[in-house]
Amino acid sequence: MTSTRYPSLTRAGLTNSYLHTNSTTHQFLFGAVAELLDNARDAEAKQIDIFPTKDPSLRGGFYLNFLDDGRGMDPTEVNNVVQFGKSFKRASGDNMIGQYGNGLKSGSMRIGNDFILFTKRREKMSALMLSRTFHDKEDIESVICPMPVWSTTTRLPVIQEGGKERHKQEIDLMCRYSPFKSESALMKQFDKIEGDCGTLIVIYNLKLLDSGEPELDIVSDRSDIRMAEMDPEDQSNLPERVSFKAYASILYLDPRMKIYVQNKKIRTKRLANALCNPMMYKFSSNRFKKRSEDEVTKTEHEYNLAEGRARELESTSRDLEKKFGSGAHKSSNTADRVLLRKAQDKAKDAREIAKSRRSECDTKRRSLKDRKSLDFFFGFNIENRRYFGMFIYNCSRLIRMYERVGPQLSGSDSCAGIIGVVNVPYLVLEPTHNKQHFADNKEYRHMLKAMGDHLQCYRRDAKDVMRKGGIKQFWEGFGYLDDDWSQPPSSEEKYERQRAMKIPKVIQCDSCLKWRTLPFQSSQVGKDLPEGWLCKMNPDRKHNSCKCAEEIQKFPEGEFRKEQKTKEQRQAEIKEKMQKMQRELNKVSTPDNKSSPASRRAESSGGSRVRKQKVASFESDEDDDDGGLFSKSTQSRLGLKSSREPTKRSRAVPPPQPRSERRERKVRRISEVEQPSEEIRRNNNNSRSSARKKQKVIAYREDLGLDDDEEEEQVQVQPPEEVLEEEIVNEDVEEMQVEQKEDVEEEEEVVPPPPVKQAKKKSNESKQRELQLFIFVKSEYDILAERSILVN
């Protein structure tokens, strides 16, 4: 029904419901507003103005204007706006913030239900409306976007495909579903764009809260846009999440665009220059591969297309050469020769493009093994120490803020008050579509861990710049007289002076947009600089003109060094890990695991005497120390506290028994599997060879790294009784199989061994999982034991 309506108008190829779904990617409202600032920055705008216009007829009572002086767009580029996912910025280099061709649609639809765009470039002016209100009222599912065009000089309509009827229909829809009710009112919006190019975006029918008020508050502060129903005095709210002015001031790592909100200029800043005692650390890693692999895949695809195109044109060229290119078939027709020459030129150009793509593909393949480098900046936030964490930028655009790393995660005061800054290139980490996170979380976490390690290194290096009183006296010197970190610094003049001396004032010229570092002036402490500050106001004569080159900010470079841990610290870490593994074992211990050996034998099928391993038997018991993995004797060997004195182990190993005796003993033991009485079990245990057990003990202690010289110093460590019994029974069965084969060859009659599978199977799958868990924990424990020996 709706597909036949407005047939001559441009369609976006998407449904109306997608507009709402696409807008929900922005949970952070200021992030949606920032999408429009990103477009202006990518368009090389020098200034953008954000201001409201009251209109009681609209939902929310006003509409929001975004006016920039960038390059603007021609009608072709305006048509690409509604082509979701299409963006020319991908081929323009890594300095572009936008990459997905979706920011304008998702950002504007998150702020309001409708927007209308006015843009100008040289001789043509274009408008475009994307309205959910229009589609809802007209009950149209496919997205329709009116897009009229006018001449800049004559201000008359430019007739497009569809003729005057299309233009009239587009104007009619815009007047019905926009704040501008006539064509002349639409034309007046172009007058707001000064110069030959620029763009104006009007967002109306704003989103509302449950209370009926707009999400954006433009009334509380006439020089700012704030989040409605968020108390700015609430210290749990970060200032950048309450005030758009605070968020926009740090939105870009190197701001090159003036931002005005409600006709008030935002004082942008370079975050790294606003820190006390800043220091830079270089970091490189070869684990950032996802983006490089994607680029290689993309380049290989482009090469395959170019190679296929070149082969096709070369084949066409050869066919024309055979037809009338040379010899007896050489054509005298000029048109044929021209056609042949064009085919040859096209094939040559296509081959050159294919070679270029091949070279680019090879270069990117080799770069997969290259280490990616990042620069970490750290410094103290002495302006307000309660706000600290890592600020992660991508292509100089803020993605994550106040990310806690390393010691900051534990709430320790050792690294509190420190801010870190890093700018991640697009080829290292790719941001998500809403520019609020990174696509590859694994590589992102790897970077955060590296920042945590470097943060601890910076904290150790920063001790040199602190006073003898330590960290407390350091903060007291800047006016933090209270131990409560939520309290702001003192406003006394001596403390303000101290803070001003430690952080140089860096400001941007309002004319040339260059950044200047001002020398310290005691008369300017506590005073704000004028809004339209210019280079000629700089007291530094070397940089008091817009013609002077911008200063390159240099930071002290630190050397990353891992912290050397003491013997006590390493023993404490080992103890903590052992306790953690003990807790994990306790979790998997079930009532079935804690049953007696007799009850476990009764539950086993076929009366098998092969003991089932249980995790609970390895738990340490305060009243009974059996020398298990987590017993007091083992902890004593690791240098931990133990109430038991070391005992000397016995190394006496009796000679091996004759083969006949060993065979009789094994046959007797295997036959007793069918007679699980208490007397037989007791006799069987007494007859078990102590030499075999002692051999297992010796091997077990050698695995733990104990030497002969440590006999008097270390505690006797034995593997659990059930591990020995399990291994002995299994070895007996295996030896019986080998001996049976030998006896068959010698034509001797022997007792056939019982099936091995009955001795190795678990009664159920849960016990198999518990056995696997025990094997894993035991291997981890052995590693800790070896580390403990090295520490000792």
Side-chain angles (χ1 to χ4, degrees):
M1 178 186 71
T2 60
S3 61
T4 59
R5 302 179 64 180
Y6 309 106
S8 61
L9 303 190
T10 303
R11 280 167 166 73
L14 296 169
T15 61
N16 180 33
S17 59
Y18 176 78
L19 297 178
H20 169 71
T21 304
N22 190 41
S23 66
T24 58
T25 59
H26 291 283
Q27 297 181 354
F28 181 41
L29 184 55
F30 286 163
V33 178
E35 291 279 10
L36 305 181
L37 272 67
D38 295 340
N39 289 338
R41 180 184 179 274
D42 288 344
E44 300 178 355
K46 303 299 181 183
Q47 177 177 323
I48 182 170
D49 296 86
I50 306 172
F51 57 94
T53 302
K54 291 186 178 181
D55 190 338
S57 64
L58 300 174
R59 188 171 66 176
F62 67 94
Y63 58 85
L64 210 55
N65 302 269
F66 296 80
L67 175 63
D68 70 69
D69 60 353
R71 293 191 303 263
M73 291 179 282
D74 57 29
T76 302
E77 292 175 336
V78 172
N79 186 64
N80 290 337
V81 167
V82 294
Q83 303 299 321
F84 287 75
K86 186 174 183 179
S87 175
F88 73 94
K89 299 178 184 179
R90 296 181 180 180
S92 301
D94 294 334
N95 59 334
M96 291 288 187
I97 298 176
Q99 296 286 335
Y100 304 109
N102 191 43
L104 174 61
K105 281 81 70 177
S106 63
S108 59
M109 289 292 149
R110 172 64 181 87
I111 303 170
N113 274 0
D114 316 301
F115 82 84
I116 184 170
L117 177 146
F118 303 91
T119 185
K120 182 196 301 184
R121 179 183 285 183
R122 301 181 185 89
E123 69 278 0
K124 288 185 179 180
M125 303 182 300
S126 305
L128 180 140
M129 184 181 74
L130 185 59
S131 171
R132 289 182 59 200
T133 304
F134 156 58
H135 291 84
D136 292 340
K137 289 187 177 182
E138 298 273 349
D139 192 21
I140 301 175
E141 184 62 21
S142 59
V143 179
I144 295 176
C145 304
M147 195 188 72
V149 181
W150 295 269
S151 171
T152 304
T153 55
T154 63
R155 301 178 76 86
L156 295 176
V158 175
I159 305 303
Q160 305 177 77
E161 182 181 355
K164 294 183 179 180
E165 182 63 25
R166 170 180 175 173
H167 180 80
K168 181 180 178 181
Q169 202 171 49
E170 289 174 330
I171 297 298
D172 178 64
L173 287 176
M174 285 187 169
C175 294
R176 286 163 53 194
Y177 295 103
S178 78
F180 316 108
K181 302 305 180 183
S182 64
E183 185 173 1
S184 60
L186 291 171
M187 298 298 294
K188 286 182 180 180
Q189 305 308 309
F190 290 104
D191 297 336
K192 297 179 182 179
I193 304 174
E194 300 177 358
D196 295 336
C197 55
T199 301
L200 169 65
I201 298 175
V202 177
I203 302 178
Y204 52 98
N205 289 328
L206 305 178
K207 299 291 180 67
L208 305 179
L209 298 170
D210 294 339
S211 61
E213 296 296 324
E215 291 182 287
L216 297 176
D217 179 13
I218 63 171
V219 179
S220 300
D221 189 344
R222 296 293 182 178
S223 62
D224 193 7
I225 298 177
R226 310 183 73 87
M227 292 292 295
E229 297 186 355
M230 290 187 68
D231 185 7
E233 302 300 329
D234 187 356
Q235 296 183 353
S236 63
N237 296 327
L238 298 173
E240 289 80 8
R241 292 193 172 273
V242 178
S243 168
F244 182 74
K245 181 166 62 176
Y247 179 68
S249 65
I250 60 170
L251 182 60
Y252 302 111
L253 188 62
D254 185 22
R256 297 293 173 178
M257 179 177 65
K258 295 181 288 184
I259 304 174
Y260 287 83
V261 175
Q262 300 204 62
N263 300 321
K264 182 70 175 180
K265 183 181 178 181
I266 294 178
R267 182 61 54 82
T268 56
K269 58 183 177 182
R270 286 174 163 177
L271 188 57
N273 296 108
L275 303 177
C276 174
N277 299 325
M279 189 173 292
M280 182 191 72
Y281 293 85
K282 289 191 174 294
F283 167 71
S284 63
S285 174
N286 57 2
R287 292 183 59 178
F288 300 109
K289 296 181 178 181
K290 182 64 169 60
R291 283 292 307 131
S292 300
E293 291 173 352
D294 292 343
E295 286 297 316
V296 169
T297 303
K298 176 183 175 182
T299 308
E300 288 176 347
H301 177 66
E302 293 176 350
Y303 163 69
N304 292 333
L305 293 178
E307 180 68 20
R309 176 65 175 168
R311 290 180 179 180
E312 181 181 352
L313 292 176
E314 287 173 348
S315 177
T316 303
S317 176
R318 287 192 298 268
D319 291 342
L320 292 176
E321 287 179 0
K322 292 179 180 180
K323 185 175 181 180
F324 40 75
S326 60
H329 299 284
K330 186 174 182 179
S331 176
S332 59
N333 191 341
T334 305
D336 293 341
R337 292 198 300 270
V338 170
L339 181 62
L340 175 60
R341 175 59 62 184
K342 287 183 178 180
Q344 291 173 339
D345 292 342
K346 287 182 179 180
K348 183 178 179 181
D349 294 341
R351 177 51 58 186
E352 291 296 327
I353 294 175
K355 289 181 179 179
S356 175
R357 295 286 187 271
R358 176 63 180 271
S359 177
E360 182 181 359
C361 185
D362 293 340
T363 301
K364 291 190 175 182
R365 278 203 197 99
R366 290 191 297 268
S367 67
L368 283 175
K369 300 180 180 179
D370 295 344
R371 301 177 68 88
K372 307 297 189 301
S373 299
L374 297 173
D375 293 336
F376 296 153
F377 297 87
F378 299 99
F380 290 92
N381 182 17
I382 61 176
E383 294 296 334
N384 198 334
R385 67 177 183 177
R386 70 180 298 264
Y387 300 116
F388 59 90
M390 303 297 111
F391 286 73
I392 319 296
Y393 289 80
N394 179 263
C395 298
S396 296
R397 203 273 202 188
L398 182 63
I399 305 296
R400 302 289 292 174
M401 56 184 176
Y402 297 112
E403 283 274 28
R404 304 290 174 87
V405 299
Q408 295 177 343
L409 292 171
S410 60
S412 173
D413 292 344
S414 61
C415 292
I418 299 178
I419 283 180
V421 181
V422 61
N423 186 27
V424 184
Y426 186 74
L427 288 178
V428 176
L429 284 178
E430 180 183 9
T432 54
H433 285 208
N434 61 4
K435 300 183 181 68
Q436 297 300 310
H437 215 296
F438 289 93
D440 195 308
N441 192 60
K442 181 179 179 181
E443 294 182 354
Y444 174 66
R445 290 298 169 189
H446 168 66
M447 184 189 69
L448 289 185
K449 183 180 182 303
M451 293 192 76
D453 296 338
H454 285 73
L455 173 63
Q456 297 184 66
C457 182
Y458 169 76
R459 179 64 180 81
R460 295 191 298 271
D461 294 342
K463 291 181 180 179
D464 300 335
V465 300
M466 292 183 181
R467 297 176 174 85
K468 295 181 180 180
I471 187 67
K472 183 176 181 180
Q473 188 173 348
F474 170 81
W475 288 112
E476 288 179 351
F478 296 112
Y480 293 94
L481 309 179
D482 198 333
D483 292 337
D484 186 2
W485 279 73
S486 63
Q487 297 300 320
S490 174
S491 58
E492 293 184 28
E493 183 178 354
K494 63 177 182 178
Y495 295 121
E496 288 187 350
R497 179 186 178 89
Q498 187 67 24
R499 293 194 294 269
M501 292 175 63
K502 293 297 292 185
I503 300 179
K505 188 164 289 187
V506 181
I507 191 171
Q508 189 177 33
C509 176
D510 197 64
S511 176
C512 64
L513 301 180
K514 295 177 182 178
W515 288 89
R516 305 296 187 188
T517 302
L518 304 182
F520 173 75
Q521 293 178 302
S522 58
S523 59
Q524 296 296 322
V525 175
K527 297 180 180 179
D528 293 331
L529 295 172
E531 183 177 302
W533 189 90
L534 300 173
C535 288
K536 63 182 181 181
M537 302 179 184
N538 192 353
D540 184 7
R541 295 184 179 181
K542 295 181 180 180
H543 303 91
N544 61 354
S545 173
C546 292
K547 296 181 181 179
C548 298
E550 184 177 279
E551 300 170 89
I552 299 177
Q553 188 69 25
K554 295 182 180 180
F555 296 91
E557 185 171 344
E559 181 181 356
F560 176 67
R561 302 180 306 276
K562 288 189 176 180
E563 184 179 7
Q564 298 296 330
K565 298 181 181 178
T566 62
K567 175 181 176 180
E568 291 76 12
Q569 289 175 332
R570 283 180 284 175
Q571 284 184 340
E573 288 184 358
I574 293 175
K575 180 178 179 180
E576 183 180 355
K577 289 183 178 180
M578 289 178 60
Q579 292 174 349
K580 183 178 179 180
M581 287 192 293
Q582 180 69 58
R583 290 192 296 268
E584 292 297 327
L585 286 174
N586 292 339
K587 290 180 182 178
V588 300
S589 297
T590 61
D592 180 70
N593 297 124
K594 299 178 181 179
S595 58
S596 62
S599 62
R600 291 201 310 273
R601 291 191 186 96
E603 292 173 358
S604 61
S605 60
S608 174
R609 66 175 297 278
V610 179
R611 298 172 182 254
K612 295 181 173 59
Q613 294 175 331
K614 61 175 183 176
V615 180
S617 64
F618 300 99
E619 299 177 2
S620 60
D621 192 345
E622 296 182 358
D623 300 327
D624 184 15
D625 193 339
D626 58 356
L629 286 179
F630 298 95
S631 62
K632 290 183 179 179
S633 60
T634 306
Q635 295 184 7
S636 176
R637 187 188 63 76
L638 293 174
L640 308 176
K641 291 184 178 181
S642 176
S643 59
R644 182 169 298 200
E645 296 295 329
T647 58
K648 187 173 181 179
R649 80 179 169 194
S650 174
R651 297 184 57 86
V653 179
Q657 299 176 354
R659 178 176 177 181
S660 59
E661 295 182 10
R662 287 190 289 113
R663 181 183 304 170
E664 292 177 0
R665 176 173 54 82
K666 282 182 281 188
V667 171
R668 183 174 61 253
R669 183 184 305 158
I670 295 172
S671 63
E672 289 172 355
V673 172
E674 304 299 331
Q675 303 174 13
S677 64
E678 285 295 328
E679 181 179 358
I680 294 178
R681 280 197 295 268
R682 184 167 54 254
N683 296 334
N684 187 32
N685 291 334
N686 294 334
S687 64
R688 194 164 291 161
S689 173
S690 61
R692 181 73 65 85
K693 285 189 179 181
K694 291 178 180 179
Q695 290 176 354
K696 293 295 178 181
V697 171
I698 293 172
Y700 186 82
R701 291 178 59 82
E702 290 176 352
D703 291 340
L704 293 181
L706 293 176
D707 299 330
D708 294 341
D709 298 336
E710 299 175 345
E711 292 179 4
E712 297 294 333
E713 299 177 359
Q714 303 296 341
V715 181
Q716 181 180 1
V717 179
Q718 294 186 0
E721 180 71 18
E722 293 187 359
V723 174
L724 291 175
E725 294 175 356
E726 178 77 15
E727 294 177 353
I728 289 173
V729 172
N730 292 341
E731 290 182 3
D732 290 343
V733 174
E734 293 173 357
E735 290 183 11
M736 283 293 299
Q737 291 177 330
V738 175
E739 292 173 2
Q740 182 185 19
K741 293 180 180 180
E742 295 176 353
D743 294 340
V744 169
E745 295 175 356
E746 298 174 2
E747 297 183 354
E748 296 180 0
E749 295 183 1
V750 297
V751 179
V756 181
K757 60 180 181 180
Q758 293 296 333
K760 292 187 176 181
K761 282 191 176 181
K762 284 288 183 179
S763 60
N764 52 54
E765 295 182 358
S766 63
K767 295 184 179 179
Q768 291 182 1
R769 289 195 295 268
E770 292 166 7
L771 175 59
Q772 294 174 358
L773 175 61
F774 165 74
I775 294 173
F776 169 76
V777 174
K778 178 181 177 300
S779 63
E780 293 293 324
Y781 180 83
D782 292 342
I783 295 174
L784 290 177
E786 293 177 1
R787 291 178 56 188
S788 176
I789 292 171
L790 294 176
V791 170
N792 293 329

PDB file of all heavy atoms in Angstrom, residues 482-495:
ATOM      1  N   ASP A 482      42.045  18.152  54.083  1.00  0.00           N
ATOM      2  CA  ASP A 482      41.167  17.147  54.667  1.00  0.00           C
ATOM      3  C   ASP A 482      41.501  15.782  54.087  1.00  0.00           C
ATOM      4  O   ASP A 482      41.829  15.651  52.899  1.00  0.00           O
ATOM      5  CB  ASP A 482      39.704  17.495  54.382  1.00  0.00           C
ATOM      6  CG  ASP A 482      38.749  16.750  55.304  1.00  0.00           C
ATOM      7  OD1 ASP A 482      39.128  15.658  55.768  1.00  0.00           O
ATOM      8  OD2 ASP A 482      37.641  17.258  55.549  1.00  0.00           O
ATOM      9  N   ASP A 483      41.421  14.748  54.920  1.00  0.00           N
ATOM     10  CA  ASP A 483      41.667  13.389  54.442  1.00  0.00           C
ATOM     11  C   ASP A 483      40.535  12.877  53.573  1.00  0.00           C
ATOM     12  O   ASP A 483      40.680  11.847  52.897  1.00  0.00           O
ATOM     13  CB  ASP A 483      41.871  12.439  55.625  1.00  0.00           C
ATOM     14  CG  ASP A 483      43.165  12.736  56.377  1.00  0.00           C
ATOM     15  OD1 ASP A 483      44.076  13.330  55.755  1.00  0.00           O
ATOM     16  OD2 ASP A 483      43.258  12.372  57.569  1.00  0.00           O
ATOM     17  N   ASP A 484      39.407  13.548  53.589  1.00  0.00           N
ATOM     18  CA  ASP A 484      38.263  13.164  52.768  1.00  0.00           C
ATOM     19  C   ASP A 484      38.530  13.562  51.320  1.00  0.00           C
ATOM     20  O   ASP A 484      38.644  14.741  50.989  1.00  0.00           O
ATOM     21  CB  ASP A 484      36.991  13.844  53.278  1.00  0.00           C
ATOM     22  CG  ASP A 484      35.744  13.358  52.545  1.00  0.00           C
ATOM     23  OD1 ASP A 484      35.883  12.462  51.681  1.00  0.00           O
ATOM     24  OD2 ASP A 484      34.652  13.867  52.840  1.00  0.00           O
ATOM     25  N   TRP A 485      38.611  12.541  50.442  1.00  0.00           N
ATOM     26  CA  TRP A 485      38.955  12.812  49.044  1.00  0.00           C
ATOM     27  C   TRP A 485      37.833  13.503  48.283  1.00  0.00           C
ATOM     28  O   TRP A 485      38.056  14.023  47.190  1.00  0.00           O
ATOM     29  CB  TRP A 485      39.330  11.500  48.349  1.00  0.00           C
ATOM     30  CG  TRP A 485      40.726  11.087  48.623  1.00  0.00           C
ATOM     31  CD1 TRP A 485      41.222  10.582  49.788  1.00  0.00           C
ATOM     32  CD2 TRP A 485      41.832  11.175  47.732  1.00  0.00           C
ATOM     33  NE1 TRP A 485      42.562  10.343  49.675  1.00  0.00           N
ATOM     34  CE2 TRP A 485      42.971  10.694  48.422  1.00  0.00           C
ATOM     35  CE3 TRP A 485      41.979  11.605  46.421  1.00  0.00           C
ATOM     36  CZ2 TRP A 485      44.232  10.637  47.834  1.00  0.00           C
ATOM     37  CZ3 TRP A 485      43.238  11.540  45.835  1.00  0.00           C
ATOM     38  CH2 TRP A 485      44.343  11.072  46.539  1.00  0.00           C
ATOM     39  N   SER A 486      36.647  13.486  48.805  1.00  0.00           N
ATOM     40  CA  SER A 486      35.541  14.138  48.109  1.00  0.00           C
ATOM     41  C   SER A 486      35.538  15.651  48.287  1.00  0.00           C
ATOM     42  O   SER A 486      34.797  16.348  47.600  1.00  0.00           O
ATOM     43  CB  SER A 486      34.204  13.561  48.605  1.00  0.00           C
ATOM     44  OG  SER A 486      34.031  13.845  49.986  1.00  0.00           O
ATOM     45  N   GLN A 487      36.370  16.176  49.196  1.00  0.00           N
ATOM     46  CA  GLN A 487      36.398  17.610  49.451  1.00  0.00           C
ATOM     47  C   GLN A 487      37.275  18.320  48.418  1.00  0.00           C
ATOM     48  O   GLN A 487      38.339  17.821  48.052  1.00  0.00           O
ATOM     49  CB  GLN A 487      36.925  17.887  50.865  1.00  0.00           C
ATOM     50  CG  GLN A 487      36.039  17.320  51.965  1.00  0.00           C
ATOM     51  CD  GLN A 487      34.639  17.901  51.925  1.00  0.00           C
ATOM     52  OE1 GLN A 487      34.453  19.093  51.681  1.00  0.00           O
ATOM     53  NE2 GLN A 487      33.649  17.046  52.161  1.00  0.00           N
ATOM     54  N   PRO A 488      36.844  19.490  47.924  1.00  0.00           N
ATOM     55  CA  PRO A 488      37.652  20.252  46.974  1.00  0.00           C
ATOM     56  C   PRO A 488      38.843  20.891  47.677  1.00  0.00           C
ATOM     57  O   PRO A 488      38.893  20.965  48.911  1.00  0.00           O
ATOM     58  CB  PRO A 488      36.670  21.306  46.454  1.00  0.00           C
ATOM     59  CG  PRO A 488      35.697  21.496  47.590  1.00  0.00           C
ATOM     60  CD  PRO A 488      35.551  20.145  48.231  1.00  0.00           C
ATOM     61  N   PRO A 489      39.817  21.398  46.924  1.00  0.00           N
ATOM     62  CA  PRO A 489      40.979  22.031  47.552  1.00  0.00           C
ATOM     63  C   PRO A 489      40.617  23.389  48.150  1.00  0.00           C
ATOM     64  O   PRO A 489      39.586  23.983  47.836  1.00  0.00           O
ATOM     65  CB  PRO A 489      41.967  22.177  46.393  1.00  0.00           C
ATOM     66  CG  PRO A 489      41.101  22.265  45.180  1.00  0.00           C
ATOM     67  CD  PRO A 489      39.925  21.378  45.461  1.00  0.00           C
ATOM     68  N   SER A 490      41.470  23.841  49.021  1.00  0.00           N
ATOM     69  CA  SER A 490      41.267  25.144  49.657  1.00  0.00           C
ATOM     70  C   SER A 490      41.383  26.269  48.624  1.00  0.00           C
ATOM     71  O   SER A 490      42.186  26.200  47.677  1.00  0.00           O
ATOM     72  CB  SER A 490      42.305  25.344  50.770  1.00  0.00           C
ATOM     73  OG  SER A 490      42.210  26.651  51.308  1.00  0.00           O
ATOM     74  N   SER A 491      40.583  27.301  48.814  1.00  0.00           N
ATOM     75  CA  SER A 491      40.595  28.447  47.899  1.00  0.00           C
ATOM     76  C   SER A 491      41.477  29.586  48.399  1.00  0.00           C
ATOM     77  O   SER A 491      41.412  30.700  47.867  1.00  0.00           O
ATOM     78  CB  SER A 491      39.168  28.964  47.689  1.00  0.00           C
ATOM     79  OG  SER A 491      38.581  29.325  48.942  1.00  0.00           O
ATOM     80  N   GLU A 492      42.299  29.336  49.422  1.00  0.00           N
ATOM     81  CA  GLU A 492      43.206  30.366  49.905  1.00  0.00           C
ATOM     82  C   GLU A 492      44.193  30.751  48.806  1.00  0.00           C
ATOM     83  O   GLU A 492      44.579  29.935  47.972  1.00  0.00           O
ATOM     84  CB  GLU A 492      43.954  29.865  51.138  1.00  0.00           C
ATOM     85  CG  GLU A 492      43.065  29.646  52.355  1.00  0.00           C
ATOM     86  CD  GLU A 492      43.881  29.244  53.571  1.00  0.00           C
ATOM     87  OE1 GLU A 492      45.070  29.639  53.643  1.00  0.00           O
ATOM     88  OE2 GLU A 492      43.346  28.556  54.445  1.00  0.00           O
ATOM     89  N   GLU A 493      44.623  31.992  48.865  1.00  0.00           N
ATOM     90  CA  GLU A 493      45.461  32.533  47.782  1.00  0.00           C
ATOM     91  C   GLU A 493      46.784  31.788  47.665  1.00  0.00           C
ATOM     92  O   GLU A 493      47.263  31.528  46.555  1.00  0.00           O
ATOM     93  CB  GLU A 493      45.722  34.019  48.043  1.00  0.00           C
ATOM     94  CG  GLU A 493      46.525  34.677  46.925  1.00  0.00           C
ATOM     95  CD  GLU A 493      46.739  36.156  47.169  1.00  0.00           C
ATOM     96  OE1 GLU A 493      46.170  36.691  48.142  1.00  0.00           O
ATOM     97  OE2 GLU A 493      47.479  36.778  46.384  1.00  0.00           O
ATOM     98  N   LYS A 494      47.382  31.389  48.781  1.00  0.00           N
ATOM     99  CA  LYS A 494      48.685  30.727  48.702  1.00  0.00           C
ATOM    100  C   LYS A 494      48.571  29.365  48.027  1.00  0.00           C
ATOM    101  O   LYS A 494      49.487  28.946  47.298  1.00  0.00           O
ATOM    102  CB  LYS A 494      49.286  30.584  50.092  1.00  0.00           C
ATOM    103  CG  LYS A 494      48.490  29.702  51.059  1.00  0.00           C
ATOM    104  CD  LYS A 494      49.227  29.565  52.386  1.00  0.00           C
ATOM    105  CE  LYS A 494      48.464  28.637  53.338  1.00  0.00           C
ATOM    106  NZ  LYS A 494      49.205  28.464  54.622  1.00  0.00           N
ATOM    107  N   TYR A 495      47.444  28.690  48.232  1.00  0.00           N
ATOM    108  CA  TYR A 495      47.263  27.398  47.586  1.00  0.00           C
ATOM    109  C   TYR A 495      46.915  27.567  46.105  1.00  0.00           C
ATOM    110  O   TYR A 495      47.365  26.780  45.267  1.00  0.00           O
ATOM    111  CB  TYR A 495      46.182  26.600  48.303  1.00  0.00           C
ATOM    112  CG  TYR A 495      46.555  26.219  49.718  1.00  0.00           C
ATOM    113  CD1 TYR A 495      45.779  26.626  50.797  1.00  0.00           C
ATOM    114  CD2 TYR A 495      47.688  25.458  49.979  1.00  0.00           C
ATOM    115  CE1 TYR A 495      46.113  26.275  52.100  1.00  0.00           C
ATOM    116  CE2 TYR A 495      48.033  25.097  51.272  1.00  0.00           C
ATOM    117  CZ  TYR A 495      47.248  25.508  52.330  1.00  0.00           C
ATOM    118  OH  TYR A 495      47.592  25.167  53.618  1.00  0.00           O
TER     119      TYR A 495
END
